[in-house]
């Protein structure tokens, strides 16, 4: 296996980790409007992800940085062609971070409600747009012989990409509902399990349609195995949720995300960004990669740094593993960021 193939796999792993981790905190952000009935319950939801949401975003920074360093042609075409959607995602992530930090800085109801509304929308919009973006990456876009995107914004909004957006939106919401059931106690836990069932059923329908479409369009035997794993894991997650095994349900919903992302990358390889104008103009792992020397240095750096990051994040989740409920929210607590 060539180094550019190795880095394609590593970038796929980074995106998978990002969607697994950021997926549930996007879902929790969406649930602040769909599940929480009052301010204490919204604070419970926000506090379930308060210690980890910023660490989850490190995976996005790493995935973007690795793409830039390992596949500069891919990075350049992707970020120029998808400039507006990615800019919207970036603005949402910035506002979302500010909302987490500033929501509880003042006690006024309007102040906190406005920031909570910001958390909802800045969780929902990226959850949808990431699916649209990856739908376009897998299906292909208008790339010319100079490896430049020559399409328009409208070219990115076709049925396959929009269906991909619905898949990530519903799957992340389901993932977040299961995480909420795992991390809370009392009535909010029970309602999270009930909501997870209905969101999960919707997710199963749209995800099955999207994955079958992907398999029919560009899949092979390996991607078919990933499809089967994704569907089986989602069904098992729904069953585990119904019998109150939140830990298993969360793990299985995570497997659904991992298998779904794996299927997309398996369908994509050896391309990194297909051209719909001419197959010879597609960006591949070979023609879009950096020099072998650059990839070699990156590999050594990744081998040293990655275990440290994983250990630190694992420790963070272990420290903040306990469940919380409205009884843990002090009635007069109105200062400090989400924690």
């Amino acid at each position: 296996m060539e180094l550019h193939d190795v880095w394609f796999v590593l970038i796929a792993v980074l995106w998978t980790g990002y969607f697994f981790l950021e997926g549930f905190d996007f879902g929790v952000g969406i649930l602040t409007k769909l599940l929480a009935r009052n301010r204490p319950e919204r604070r419970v939801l926000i506090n379930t992800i308060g210690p980890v949401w910023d660490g989850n975003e490190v995976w996005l920074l790493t995935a973007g940085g690795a793409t830039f360093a390992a596949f500069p042609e891919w990075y350049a075409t992707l970020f120029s062609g998808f400039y507006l959607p990615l800019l919207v995602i970036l603005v949402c992530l910035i506002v979302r971070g500010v909302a987490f930090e500033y929501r509880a800085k003042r006690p006024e109801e309007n102040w906190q409600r406005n920031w909570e509304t910001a958390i909802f929308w800045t969780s929902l919009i990226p959850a949808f747009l990431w699916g649209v973006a990856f739908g376009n990456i897998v299906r292909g876009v208008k790339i010319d012989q100079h490896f430049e995107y020559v399409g328009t914004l409208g070219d990115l909004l076709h049925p396959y990409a929009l269906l991909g957006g619905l898949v990530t939106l519903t799957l992340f919401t389901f993932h977040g509902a299961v995480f909420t059931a795992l991390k809370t106690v009392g009535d909010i836990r029970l309602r999270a399990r009930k909501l997870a069932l209905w969101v999960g059923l919707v997710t199963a329908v749209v995800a099955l349609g999207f994955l079958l479409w992907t398999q029919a369009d560009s899949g092979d035997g390996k991607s078919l195995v990933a499809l089967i794993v994704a569907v089986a894991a989602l069904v098992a997650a729904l069953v585990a949720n119904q019998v109150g095994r939140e830990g298993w349900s969360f793990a299985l919903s995570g497997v659904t995300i991992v298998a779904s992302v794996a299927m997309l990358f398996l369908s994509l390889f050896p391309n990194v960004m297909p051209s719909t104008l001419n197959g010879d103009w597609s960006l591949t792992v070979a023609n879009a990669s950096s020099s072998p020397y650059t990839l070699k240095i990156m590999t050594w750096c990744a081998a040293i740094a990655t275990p440290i990051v994983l250990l630190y994040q694992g420790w963070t989740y272990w420290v903040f593993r306990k469940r919380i409920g409205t009884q843990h929210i002090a009635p007069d607590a109105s200062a400090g960021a989400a924690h």
Side-chain angles (χ1 to χ4, degrees), residues 134-149:
F134 271 82
N136 278 287
I137 291 173
V138 174
R139 177 180 177 269
V141 292
K142 294 180 178 179
I143 299 175
D144 65 12
Q145 65 270 32
H146 304 296
F147 300 138
E148 295 180 359
Y149 178 70

Side-chain angles (χ1 to χ4, degrees), residues 25-46:
D25 71 47
F26 279 150
V28 171
I30 294 169
L31 293 179
T32 57
K33 291 291 186 183
L34 300 183
L35 180 66
R37 292 175 174 174
N38 49 47
R39 182 183 294 178
E41 289 191 352
R42 286 192 293 273
R43 289 171 59 192
V44 167
L45 290 177
I46 292 171

Side-chain angles (χ1 to χ4, degrees), residues 20-94:
F20 180 95
L21 296 172
E22 189 87 303
F24 72 74
D25 71 47
F26 279 150
V28 171
I30 294 169
L31 293 179
T32 57
K33 291 291 186 183
L34 300 183
L35 180 66
R37 292 175 174 174
N38 49 47
R39 182 183 294 178
E41 289 191 352
R42 286 192 293 273
R43 289 171 59 192
V44 167
L45 290 177
I46 292 171
N47 283 359
T48 62
I49 59 174
V52 298
W53 68 267
D54 49 355
N56 294 343
E57 291 187 354
V58 171
W59 288 77
L60 172 61
L61 298 175
T62 308
T67 304
F68 171 76
F71 298 100
E73 288 281 0
W74 183 14
Y75 182 92
T77 303
L78 175 64
F79 278 77
S80 60
F82 295 11
Y83 181 81
L84 185 57
L86 293 178
L87 177 62
V88 172
I89 290 174
L90 177 61
V91 171
C92 284
L93 294 180
I94 293 171

Side-chain angles (χ1 to χ4, degrees), residues 155-175:
D155 293 328
L156 303 178
L157 304 177
H158 49 82
Y160 177 78
L162 295 175
L163 181 59
L166 289 177
V167 171
T168 50
L169 176 59
T170 55
L171 182 55
F172 290 170
T173 305
F174 172 68
H175 198 39

Side-chain angles (χ1 to χ4, degrees), residues 84 92 95 140 148 153 191 196 220 263 288 308 320:
L84 185 57
C92 284
V95 173
E148 295 180 359
L153 177 62
R191 284 188 283 115
D220 56 14
M263 181 188 177
I308 297 173
F320 295 100

Side-chain angles (χ1 to χ4, degrees), residues 179-263:
F179 179 79
T180 299
L182 176 65
K183 288 289 292 179
T184 58
V185 295
D187 182 58
I188 193 169
R189 174 189 178 189
L190 299 177
R191 284 188 283 115
R193 283 170 49 188
K194 180 181 291 188
L195 182 61
L197 171 63
W198 293 107
V199 175
L201 292 174
V202 174
T203 302
V205 173
V206 295
L208 182 60
F210 178 75
L211 295 178
L212 288 175
W213 191 344
T214 303
Q215 179 65 26
D217 189 50
S218 57
D220 56 14
K222 294 178 181 178
S223 62
L224 179 60
V225 172
L227 185 157
I228 294 171
V229 171
V231 173
L234 181 56
V235 172
L238 286 168
V239 173
N241 175 73
Q242 281 301 99
V243 298
R245 301 299 296 271
E246 290 101 343
W248 279 105
S249 185
F250 177 71
L252 288 164
S253 68
V255 171
T256 303
I257 293 175
V258 171
S260 299
V261 177
M263 181 188 177

Side-chain angles (χ1 to χ4, degrees), residues 6 126 259:
V6 172

